[in-house]
Amino acid sequence: MPPISVILITKNAAAHIECALRSVAWADERIVVDCGSDDATVALAHPLATRVETHPWSGYGAQKNHAASLATHDWVLSLDADEAITDGLRDQIAALPLTPETAAFRMPRVTWYLGRWIRTTDWYPDRAVRLYDRRRARWDDRPVHEALLVDGPIADLSGEIEHRPYADVAEHLGRMNHYTTLAATQMQAQGRQARAWHLLVHPPAAFLRNYVARGGVRDGVPGLIVSLLGAVYVLQKYVKLWERQRQAS
């Protein structure tokens, strides 16, 4: 495989950073860019990373681009602090040719939630482009759900990234409040409008898509909770967008 630099951007990730870094111990380089953690994130990262740097927060995409600019190698694997590379994905990456023809690789993520791996709803396969040639790809500057802009073909790998985003439902709800605020900001910047019918139609549609069409029912109560909270997420972002419109007028 080509030499790979792993990048992680962090903020108060002490609960997960060691697991994330150990899962990529095989990589040629592991770079952690922290934006001012006040827990043990930096101290825990130092023994396992090849480089740890503190950099002021500049947005998700910009922070990742800065981390990639520090890399020694052109092939970069972007990993969140609450993620880990599985052995299967590691083996697939190891089998890549020295000079891949594609510009990036996409892989599925599986999320641990309420005591089980969720392989239904919008949460799975949740394919994300994470391994890329930095000469042909760059993160965009969207305030939430940043994406990698790739100049060239993207191939799929089947090995999974394991994702442990929430310690409990309370943390999930807190994170939803934060991200729906960012989503409403992004929608407003795009000129989108929130109407009454959006509030009536989109949340139930999100629930039915997750629980019925995408199989949340097969995951029992956790699948029901994921589907219900997915609908709440949609409702929150449209309500916040509506509120912003009202304040602006």
Side-chain angles (χ1 to χ4, degrees), residues 77 88-97 102 104-109 125 127-128 130-131 154-161:
L77 174 62
L89 179 56
R90 176 202 62 200
D91 293 345
Q92 287 185 332
I93 293 173
L96 294 175
T102 53
F105 292 89
R106 183 169 38 224
M107 53 214 68
R109 292 198 309 171
R127 295 188 179 277
R130 294 299 188 82
L131 178 61
I154 301 172
D156 285 301
L157 301 174
S158 60
E160 294 175 332
I161 296 175

Side-chain angles (χ1 to χ4, degrees), residues 38-133:
D38 53 21
D39 65 3
T41 299
V42 172
L44 293 171
H46 268 293
L48 300 169
T50 53
R51 179 171 182 174
V52 179
E53 178 182 298
T54 299
H55 185 267
W57 180 249
S58 55
Y60 291 101
Q63 201 80 349
K64 290 181 179 180
N65 286 330
H66 172 72
S69 74
L70 303 176
T72 303
H73 307 297
D74 289 322
W75 277 94
V76 171
L77 174 62
S78 176
L79 190 67
D80 289 347
D82 57 5
E83 296 175 340
I85 300 298
T86 59
D87 290 345
L89 179 56
R90 176 202 62 200
D91 293 345
Q92 287 185 332
I93 293 173
L96 294 175
L98 186 60
T99 54
E101 295 181 0
T102 53
F105 292 89
R106 183 169 38 224
M107 53 214 68
R109 292 198 309 171
V110 60
T111 297
W112 180 261
Y113 190 66
L114 297 176
R116 70 192 301 164
W117 293 111
I118 303 294
R119 286 191 169 87
T120 61
T121 71
D122 289 347
W123 284 17
Y124 192 80
D126 189 25
R127 295 188 179 277
V129 182
R130 294 299 188 82
L131 178 61
Y132 61 96
D133 183 344

